[in-house]
Amino acid sequence: MNYIGIDLGGTNVAAAVVNETGRCLGQASIPTPRGAEKIADAIAQAAVLACSDAGIAVTDARSVGVASAGSIDPEGGMVTHAFNLDLHNVPLAGMVSQRLGLPATLENDANAAALGEFVAGAGRGGRSLVAVTLGTGVGSGAVLNGKLFTGSNYAGMEAGHMVIHRGGRQCTCGRQGCWETYASATGLIRSTREAMEAHPDSILWHYAPTLEAANGKTAFDAAQAGDAVAQAVVESYVDDLACGITNLINLFQPETLCVAGGVSRQGENLLGPVRKILDAEEFTRDGTRRTRLCLAQLGSEAGVIGAALVPLYR
């Protein structure tokens, strides 16, 4: 049986035809327009293109699933608030279903990405997975005992908004010291810029000639070149990242915790030091069955695969 998955992003609408094992049979991507009706039209268009790429008709698919950023009400098929898309209280699932003539589901994009990794990526063959994405914020999702975890009100797994530094950096959610204000790429860039301002002789300035040029790689590159200031930035970042990961492992004890997003491209330069902290701080550090920490495997395909297969795992 085939399913259509949609990853609705601020830049592109990505679509894929996916089978039950999470294999992509056809794909398409078109620019994301503005306005609810135009977005629904674009989703339908991308779905048709993906089906054509897979060599099937839209009616050969069992359903279509849409993954969207923002606050989602999956039960009502409603995008409550997606500020980057300017969608507010939009019944997007119904609009898509009407256009394609298929049952439609709606899910948060981080949850969909976690499900994609569970089915076809880092968690394949297991029963539980937590996925963390280090991007502009910190996205997270979980599959526990083979089912997508969303909480009673579909707002579960907002791990980026657990506080790791009480009274720390101001977060967009209204709290202070949230994990994402330190562990996101945005948080890392902020720490890098603060270090650059405080240390004008640091070779951080070689890798980023201006504060605006600093990115998620700058501190890692300068640290590998031996700069002590950059090394301190990286060590602090790793400590904060590991704090949140340890919390998640202690809460859920998943078989796998995978890390995605731009910062994860550092690979073992990032995960190796995090593992050392887990070995010292994880509650089950002396146990024989510990969570496997690894990189996510699917990249941009995770969202469309997960979105497509939500009906099977909700």
Side-chain angles (χ1 to χ4, degrees):
M1 186 64 69
N2 297 325
Y3 303 82
I4 300 171
I6 304 290
D7 191 353
L8 174 58
T11 304
N12 293 302
V13 177
V17 176
V18 177
N19 67 14
E20 292 181 358
T21 67
R23 180 185 171 196
C24 288
L25 307 177
Q27 294 179 289
S29 179
I30 62 174
T32 304
R34 286 296 179 266
E37 295 291 341
K38 290 182 178 179
I39 285 175
D41 289 341
I43 289 172
Q45 181 185 353
V48 170
L49 291 173
C51 287
S52 177
D53 189 50
I56 67 169
V58 170
T59 51
D60 292 331
R62 184 171 182 177
S63 61
V64 55
V66 180
S68 172
S71 177
I72 306 297
D73 173 11
E75 188 173 343
M78 184 84 65
V79 178
T80 308
H81 295 292
F83 294 100
N84 65 325
L85 298 166
D86 196 23
L87 297 180
H88 306 281
N89 297 316
V90 174
L92 189 60
M95 295 167 70
V96 170
S97 178
Q98 184 180 39
R99 284 163 170 78
L100 292 173
L102 293 173
T105 57
L106 187 64
E107 189 51 78
N108 173 268
D109 56 354
N111 290 339
L115 181 57
E117 287 290 343
F118 172 77
V119 175
R124 182 169 45 194
R127 291 289 297 168
S128 60
L129 169 138
V130 170
V132 173
T133 300
L134 308 174
T136 304
V138 172
S140 55
V143 180
L144 305 175
N145 296 320
K147 294 295 182 181
L148 185 63
F149 174 79
T150 60
S152 62
N153 59 353
Y154 306 106
M157 281 310 296
E158 286 290 346
H161 298 290
M162 61 180 169
V163 170
I164 64 166
H165 290 287
R166 187 154 182 83
R169 291 175 175 173
Q170 184 65 51
C171 183
T172 56
C173 76
R175 304 184 80 190
Q176 288 181 290
C178 286
W179 189 32
E180 80 169 26
T181 66
Y182 296 91
S184 65
T186 305
L188 174 57
I189 292 168
R190 175 175 173 175
S191 297
T192 301
R193 290 173 177 169
E194 289 172 351
M196 290 169 66
E197 288 182 305
H199 300 277
D201 296 330
S202 168
I203 66 169
L204 282 166
W205 290 96
H206 170 75
Y207 291 94
T210 66
L211 291 175
E212 292 73 22
N215 57 37
K217 289 177 73 271
T218 304
F220 281 93
D221 289 344
Q224 289 170 16
D227 183 70
V229 173
Q231 288 170 351
V233 172
V234 170
E235 288 172 6
S236 179
Y237 176 79
V238 167
D239 285 345
D240 289 333
L241 177 62
C243 179
I245 287 176
T246 304
N247 291 344
L248 289 171
I249 291 174
N250 287 348
L251 281 169
F252 297 110
Q253 298 296 337
E255 292 166 301
T256 301
L257 190 150
C258 66
V259 181
V263 183
S264 73
R265 297 191 186 102
Q266 295 299 322
E268 284 304 309
N269 288 333
L270 178 69
L271 295 191
V274 171
R275 287 195 188 94
K276 290 183 180 179
I277 295 174
L278 293 177
D279 289 342
E281 298 185 6
E282 186 183 322
F283 185 76
T284 54
R285 57 188 176 275
D286 297 323
T288 57
R289 297 178 63 184
R290 293 181 60 191
T291 297
R292 179 175 67 101
L293 176 67
C294 64
L295 296 175
Q297 296 179 1
L298 299 181
S300 60
E301 290 187 348
V304 289
I305 292 172
L309 298 181
V310 160
L312 303 182
Y313 292 91
R314 181 171 283 168

